[in-house]
Amino acid sequence: MTHTLGRPDFEVIAGWVEPGHRVLDLGCGDGTLLKHLIETRGVHGVGVEIDDANILAAIKNGINIIQGNLERGLDEFADQAFDHVVLSRTLQTVRHTEGILREMLRVGREAVVSFPNFAYWKNLRSVLDGRMPVSEDLPYQWYDSPNVRFFTLLDFEALCEQMGLIIRERHVLDEDGNIVHNTDNREINFLGSLAVYRLTQNR
Amino acid sequence: MPGQSVGAVQPQRAHFDQPLHLRSGGVLPAYDLVYETYGTLNAAKSNAILVCHALSGHHHVAGHYADQPDNIGWWDNIVGPGRPLDTDKFFIVGLNNLGGCHGSTGPSSLNPATGKPWGADFPIVAVNDWVHAQARLADLLGIDSWAAVMGGSLGGMQALRWSITFPERVRNAIVIAAAPKLSAQNIAFNDVARQAILTDPDFHGGHYYEHNTRPVRGLRLARMLGHITYLSDDQMGEKFGRELRNSAFSFGYGVEFEVESYLRYQGDKFAGYFDANTYLLMTKALDYFDPSREDDGNLTATMARTQANFLIASFTTDWRFTPARSKEIVAALLANGRNVSYAEIDLNFGHDSFLMEDAHYHGVVDAYLRNIKL
């Protein structure tokens, strides 16, 4: 299986987005996902980034990009301004986890969240072997990692339930980016390296 | 500095006979605008960028004059072949606004009705009046729509106003270190500056030209005050600290601290060439600026009239127009689904950062302009 731009979660996200949708990508990096969604799905995209180099790269990519800090909320965005608000491989770097999830569903109809699953069996084996995991989806050493929250797929689902968020869809991917077809939650928690969720809430 | 200067340039003058009806209700029966252009207008006339000046700026944006090699344009570092405002691609227009004191019709020009300088009788012009005058210059140059209108501070406000007043004539607006309207504190600083001028005994109710004098003391104080608000506290601390010109205190009121020396020098220099009536007028244009007034203060409704794409930039150390003020503009544009990018640039020079050469800042403007389709 070949993956778009080397990011298998991008394909899952692209599949959830309809042409003409308004998409906000939080922590959008150089705007690669938005560019892909604009080119292939004809969306109207906006990204948020904190890093100067990414701001410059996204402007070069012709992406609408707003410099800002996700920890401080999304004040410049109006309620329900977007169809989808994407947080791709970024939730684990945000301290105010509940705050950002609430903000995503304030400004968007749906939240799309992907994150590395700490309970993936290779990660667990690595810890059992005495070392912090380093993998395709957790590509940092412990001392240079931007990640500040370490959680599993089941942890995340428990938080969603506690917050009253509705999981509309879930795709779990292995380290090669292939979809893990398994319905047992405990097993999928061991087999999935990256999880992608589509969330809403009752309004 | 990457890129090159545009080299030797020449100012030009345009005369307009069609009366200009001003926001104040006044009318200018005729007026002149001085301007400069750099680069070449393409056949489709689609590559023109208007650069609007701030409070003390003018038409000499870039390059130098053949007979004055040291007279370099105020934004020379961003204009030229290979620079962000690349004259190999764009045709750049800079002008001196109405009410200015660098050659365009202003308070020091002769009032045709009296044969004497206008002085205090020169009508107060608003930012929107400037935009209308600039539009006539665009007509004269054959420019139906600007590839971009841009500026910093009061210049950024003109770019914003352009996008609202003439939405079909602005394809991109680059608004740097600006605000959608002044705060009470901003207006307060402006009023102290005006009071310094208005209470100078040499002001003569604005008709000082007839008395062969100028309110130099007031203008100097106004500039010293203004200058403090353009710099950041950190930058002043780094540049001057508490350094003394001599090693010991003199226990008097002469120049002792380096910062005093610097401010007095800046004040003297400015008061030597700038016109006090123009200073008064420019600060009032700033105070009155508030496009959302037409929509009962609802900036989102105002920005709904725009069609341009926007680049908004602010500076972390700018306390005159803070990043939060730029984000008000960003929020109003986002609420209307406009194409907008916003960069918050970490530079240490306060409000004056917009004039500085910085690789990231200029990189952002360069990247944005390079994506403009002509």
Side-chain angles (χ1 to χ4, degrees):
Chain A
M1 182 173 182
T2 57
H3 301 297
T4 312
L5 317 157
R7 292 282 300 265
D9 53 329
F10 284 8
E11 281 179 36
V12 173
I13 295 168
W16 289 340
V17 170
E18 304 276 328
H21 269 178
R22 297 181 47 76
V23 178
L24 177 66
D25 187 2
L26 304 176
C28 69
D30 64 4
T32 301
L33 171 63
L34 282 174
K35 195 169 184 189
H36 176 65
L37 294 178
I38 290 164
E39 284 168 1
T40 63
R41 310 291 289 163
V43 305
H44 179 86
V46 181
V48 175
E49 249 299 327
I50 192 168
D51 177 69
D52 280 352
N54 281 330
I55 293 289
L56 183 58
I59 291 175
K60 279 185 182 160
N61 272 328
I63 299 298
N64 291 317
I65 184 133
I66 308 298
Q67 192 157 19
N69 184 346
L70 299 181
E71 302 283 13
R72 300 207 184 120
L74 304 170
D75 286 350
E76 57 270 54
F77 299 99
D79 294 357
Q80 298 297 294
F82 295 91
D83 298 296
H84 299 272
V85 182
V86 177
L87 190 65
S88 167
R89 301 181 190 231
T90 303
L91 187 64
Q92 75 280 3
T93 69
V94 176
R95 277 184 192 284
H96 298 98
T97 312
E98 290 174 80
I100 193 64
L101 290 171
R102 293 246 181 259
E103 276 288 81
M104 289 173 77
L105 285 165
R106 176 184 68 79
V107 304
R109 193 162 50 81
E110 279 189 18
V112 175
V113 180
S114 72
F115 59 86
N117 175 29
F118 200 75
Y120 177 49
W121 68 272
K122 282 190 185 173
N123 296 340
L124 296 182
R125 193 182 68 185
S126 184
V127 173
L128 284 173
D129 285 346
R131 300 295 300 271
M132 287 299 281
V134 177
S135 69
E136 189 80 13
D137 294 314
L138 280 171
Y140 299 97
Q141 295 293 338
W142 64 273
Y143 52 81
D144 67 2
S145 173
N147 301 335
V148 296
R149 299 280 185 235
F150 301 91
F151 53 101
T152 72
L153 199 146
L154 295 182
D155 285 332
F156 180 74
E157 293 185 7
L159 178 65
C160 288
E161 190 176 349
Q162 190 185 311
M163 290 178 66
L165 307 183
I166 300 156
I167 297 171
R168 279 194 58 185
E169 267 186 80
R170 173 183 79 183
H171 279 296
V172 180
L173 309 170
D174 66 18
E175 220 177 338
D176 296 324
N178 299 311
I179 292 196
V180 179
H181 294 285
N182 199 312
T183 47
D184 184 278
N185 259 352
R186 277 184 61 81
E187 279 184 34
I188 212 161
N189 205 28
F190 285 106
L191 298 173
S193 175
L194 188 78
V196 197
Y197 285 87
R198 190 174 177 187
L199 308 171
T200 58
Q201 67 185 14
N202 289 324
R203 296 179 200 287
Chain B
M1 188 187 296
Q4 294 167 345
S5 164
V6 295
V9 299
Q10 279 187 325
Q12 301 174 70
R13 173 176 296 274
H15 180 72
F16 298 87
D17 272 328
Q18 195 189 352
L20 187 68
H21 293 268
L22 304 171
R23 169 126 188 270
S24 64
V27 179
L28 270 179
Y31 55 92
D32 284 9
L33 293 176
V34 290
Y35 64 98
E36 290 181 6
T37 69
Y38 323 110
T40 309
L41 188 61
N42 63 11
K45 301 189 174 183
S46 64
N47 67 333
I49 296 179
L50 175 66
V51 177
C52 303
H53 69 74
L55 200 147
S56 61
H58 43 69
H59 54 285
H60 187 34
V61 179
H64 64 269
Y65 298 133
D67 56 347
Q68 298 170 48
D70 296 333
N71 188 349
I72 294 167
W74 57 268
W75 215 355
D76 186 74
N77 62 25
I78 208 167
V79 181
R83 290 185 183 166
L85 276 75
D86 193 335
T87 46
D88 288 338
K89 176 178 179 182
F90 295 111
F91 176 68
I92 317 288
V93 179
L95 83 162
N96 185 213
N97 277 326
L98 275 181
C101 56
H102 290 88
S104 291
T105 301
S108 51
S109 310
L110 289 185
N111 179 351
T114 62
K116 291 190 223 167
W118 282 91
D121 298 333
F122 193 84
I124 288 185
V125 285
V127 170
N128 208 18
D129 299 326
W130 285 333
V131 166
H132 279 97
Q134 290 161 0
R136 289 192 187 164
L137 179 63
D139 295 340
L140 183 84
L141 297 170
I143 297 161
D144 284 338
S145 96
W146 298 99
V149 178
M150 73 181 285
S153 189
L154 179 54
M157 293 170 175
Q158 290 161 63
L160 195 62
R161 188 69 245 192
W162 257 99
S163 72
I164 299 160
T165 302
F166 295 111
E168 69 293 347
R169 299 189 72 172
V170 185
R171 281 171 278 144
N172 294 274
I174 303 179
V175 180
I176 304 171
K181 61 187 173 202
L182 264 60
S183 68
Q185 187 194 49
N186 295 147
I187 295 170
F189 276 118
N190 280 346
D191 194 48
V192 176
R194 283 192 294 269
Q195 285 298 312
I197 294 168
L198 294 168
T199 57
D200 186 319
D202 288 332
F203 183 64
H204 297 289
H207 293 289
Y208 44 88
Y209 316 99
E210 296 162 36
H211 294 79
N212 289 317
T213 185
R214 300 170 64 244
V216 171
R217 285 166 292 183
L219 186 56
R220 173 176 178 267
L221 281 177
R223 183 58 169 184
M224 286 171 74
L225 177 73
H227 208 91
I228 297 168
T229 71
Y230 305 149
L231 307 179
S232 72
D233 189 23
D234 280 354
Q235 176 201 8
M236 275 184 131
E238 276 170 29
K239 199 166 176 179
F240 309 109
R242 292 179 50 83
E243 289 300 308
L244 295 166
R245 301 197 73 201
N246 302 307
S247 53
F249 290 165
S250 62
F251 298 100
Y253 299 113
V255 177
E256 277 194 272
F257 291 94
E258 285 293 351
V259 68
E260 296 175 320
S261 166
Y262 172 80
L263 276 182
R264 290 178 198 198
Y265 170 76
Q266 292 295 333
D268 287 335
K269 191 173 79 167
F270 186 76
Y273 71 86
F274 207 83
D275 181 66
N277 281 317
T278 290
Y279 199 88
L280 293 173
L281 182 149
M282 295 278 172
T283 60
K284 281 308 265 192
L286 271 166
D287 290 1
Y288 289 138
F289 180 72
D290 177 11
S292 74
R293 210 177 150 82
E294 294 157 20
D295 301 283
D296 300 322
N298 182 347
L299 186 65
T300 300
T302 307
M303 297 318 286
R305 299 204 285 282
T306 65
Q307 294 173 19
N309 301 325
F310 289 81
L311 174 64
I312 313 289
S314 70
F315 299 94
T316 49
T317 56
D318 184 351
W319 58 277
R320 191 181 169 101
F321 299 142
T322 60
R325 304 308 312 282
S326 282
K327 284 175 106 168
E328 292 174 29
I329 303 169
V330 171
L333 290 166
L334 286 168
N336 283 295
R338 292 291 171 275
N339 285 314
V340 54
S341 283
Y342 168 67
E344 197 167 299
I345 293 157
D346 192 10
L347 261 178
N348 198 24
F349 304 100
H351 186 58
D352 263 357
S353 294
F354 85 88
L355 293 168
M356 300 300 165
E357 193 188 337
D358 172 75
H360 175 62
Y361 166 36
H362 278 193
V364 163
V365 176
D366 187 82
Y368 185 86
L369 285 173
R370 275 186 206 287
N371 275 337
I372 290 183
K373 287 175 189 68
L374 300 182

